[in-house]
Amino acid sequence: MTSESEDYGRRTTYKDSGDSGYFTAAGSDTTLSEPEDRLGGYEEDRLPQWHGGLSFGLLVLRLVLGGTLGVHGVQKVFGIWGGPGIGEFSRILGDQGYTSQLTVLSWLGGVTEIAGGVLLIFGLFTPVAAAALLAVVANAVYLKYQAGSGYFLGNGDGYEFHVVLGGIALALLFTGPGGVSIDTNTPWRRRPVWFGVVGLVLAAAVVVALTYFFRR
């Protein structure tokens, strides 16, 4: 059922909303009942809206990725928890085809994993941290692929584990950190896609540079 009214020459058509006894203007959207829906996207002067399930899920992903790679970085740098330490890690890089600046690359790889992991855990500078860890994991996948390792772990030579970690890093690069983070009111939280694209390009550039300049 519809009715019409004229207000100073302007015609408005109303649609019956059901048995409630009220009329609503035709074309108006009565389904946007949640604050996030009404926003229709983040505005520069508004804080991002809280979404409990999404924020918790992104927190879990950040803790898993940041904690896992952060611990691996500690193993590389300090040689604890069964890790190789800088000296042994440098030798491993040499076996993988790197020919120059092995010690520097060892420090760079370990510190990147530690710093990126800590930043992800706290949700601080998330695009930078996610892009850095994505570059580390993508480089590891490339090295294993070049060495002829299969995809599945099997006897420990596969790279499926690294693909999973890389997928998490890539997802966080484009979703942002979520509500449980220090990056709550930042440009990359409100507009994660553009920062994600930039981070993805930089991560790819790092892998190409490492391969071109430091491997035979």
Side-chain angles (χ1 to χ4, degrees), residues 30-113:
T30 60
T31 62
L32 302 181
S33 59
E34 296 298 326
E36 290 182 355
D37 294 329
R38 291 198 298 269
L39 280 176
Y42 296 131
E43 297 180 5
E44 294 298 328
D45 58 345
R46 295 191 182 184
L47 290 175
Q49 296 297 306
W50 168 262
H51 189 298
L54 177 61
S55 296
F56 177 74
L58 292 175
L59 173 63
V60 171
L61 293 180
R62 284 171 24 224
L63 292 177
V64 170
L65 180 63
T68 300
L69 290 183
V71 169
H72 277 281
V74 170
Q75 287 181 306
K76 292 180 176 69
V77 172
F78 300 105
I80 59 177
W81 301 326
I86 291 296
E88 179 64 16
F89 186 42
S90 299
R91 187 195 64 78
I92 294 173
L93 290 179
D95 293 341
Q96 292 175 333
Y98 289 93
T99 57
S100 62
Q101 305 296 327
L102 298 183
T103 302
V104 173
L105 290 177
S106 298
W107 278 102
L108 184 61
V111 171
T112 297
E113 288 183 335

Side-chain angles (χ1 to χ4, degrees), residues 112-136:
T112 297
E113 288 183 335
I114 295 173
V118 171
L119 290 176
L120 265 193
I121 289 172
F122 288 100
L124 178 62
F125 300 115
T126 304
V128 176
L133 295 183
L134 178 60
V136 170

Side-chain angles (χ1 to χ4, degrees), residues 135-136 139 201-211:
V136 170
N139 191 62
V201 171
L202 291 177
V206 168
V207 175
V208 171
L210 287 174
T211 302

Side-chain angles (χ1 to χ4, degrees), residues 79-205:
I80 59 177
W81 301 326
I86 291 296
E88 179 64 16
F89 186 42
S90 299
R91 187 195 64 78
I92 294 173
L93 290 179
D95 293 341
Q96 292 175 333
Y98 289 93
T99 57
S100 62
Q101 305 296 327
L102 298 183
T103 302
V104 173
L105 290 177
S106 298
W107 278 102
L108 184 61
V111 171
T112 297
E113 288 183 335
I114 295 173
V118 171
L119 290 176
L120 265 193
I121 289 172
F122 288 100
L124 178 62
F125 300 115
T126 304
V128 176
L133 295 183
L134 178 60
V136 170
V137 176
N139 191 62
V141 171
Y142 174 74
L143 292 176
K144 284 182 172 289
Y145 177 79
Q146 285 290 99
S149 299
Y151 175 77
F152 299 103
L153 285 177
N155 58 357
D157 293 333
Y159 49 85
E160 61 177 329
F161 173 66
H162 297 84
V163 170
V164 172
L165 295 181
I168 296 175
L170 183 62
L172 291 173
L173 190 59
F174 282 91
T175 62
V180 188
S181 64
I182 300 177
D183 280 340
T184 300
N185 189 26
T186 56
W188 47 89
R189 170 82 197 282
R190 294 191 297 265
R191 300 287 186 271
V193 174
W194 293 110
F195 287 92
V197 171
V198 173
L200 179 60
V201 171
L202 291 177

